[in-house]
Amino acid sequence: QVQFVESGGGLVQPGGSLRLSCAASGSINSIPAMGWYRQAPGKQRELVAYITSVGNTNYADSVKGRFTISRDNAKNTVYLQMNSLKPEDTAVYYCKGVDAVLFGRGSWGLGTQVTVSS
C-alpha cells in the first residue's frame, strides 16, 4: 500500500506563501488523481485541489488563483504552492488519491499544519 508523508507547513502571516510536499512511498503513476485536502478545527475535511495522472488540475473556488498543485512522477511527489494566504486557510493539510478517498480505501497520513495568523 502506498503511504504518503506531508511536509512544508508552518506559521505564516496573511499574504504569505508556503509550499507543501507530499512524498509517496511508491509509484503514483497509476493513481488517476492525487488530491490535497484540508481540515480545520470543527469543520469537515474538504478537497482543496487535485491533479490527474496526465496533468489536468482543478481547484476549490476558495483557493482558485492563489494555490497551484503540481506533480513530479519521477520523484513520486505532489506539491501545493500556496500564495496570498488567508486566515481561513488555516488547517491541517493532507494528500491522498481522490478515488481512494471516495471509496474509503487506505489511510490518511499525519498531515502538515498550516497556520495563517498575524
Side-chain angles (χ1 to χ4, degrees):
Q1 299 297 312
V2 177
Q3 303 293 318
F4 304 99
V5 178
E6 302 91 345
S7 63
L11 173 63
V12 297
Q13 293 185 340
S17 298
L18 285 172
R19 191 192 193 203
L20 307 184
S21 296
C22 170
S25 63
S27 175
I28 60 173
N29 293 340
S30 62
I31 301 177
M34 286 293 302
W36 278 99
Y37 300 78
R38 68 186 181 187
Q39 186 168 29
K43 297 183 179 180
Q44 293 187 336
R45 183 180 288 110
E46 65 174 337
L47 177 64
V48 176
Y50 69 81
I51 183 168
T52 71
S53 60
V54 295
N56 294 324
T57 60
N58 209 343
Y59 302 88
D61 288 340
S62 60
V63 308
K64 190 172 297 183
R66 300 187 297 119
F67 290 11
T68 303
I69 188 171
S70 62
R71 64 192 293 162
D72 186 335
N73 289 337
K75 295 183 177 181
N76 293 319
T77 301
V78 182
Y79 305 95
L80 185 68
Q81 178 67 47
M82 307 186 296
N83 299 324
S84 301
L85 283 163
K86 304 175 180 179
E88 50 262 45
D89 296 318
T90 296
V92 179
Y93 284 71
Y94 306 86
C95 64
K96 195 175 182 181
V98 172
D99 287 346
V101 174
L102 291 173
F103 288 101
R105 293 183 175 273
S107 61
W108 295 95
L110 296 178
T112 184
Q113 175 71 51
V114 172
T115 303
V116 185
S117 177
S118 59

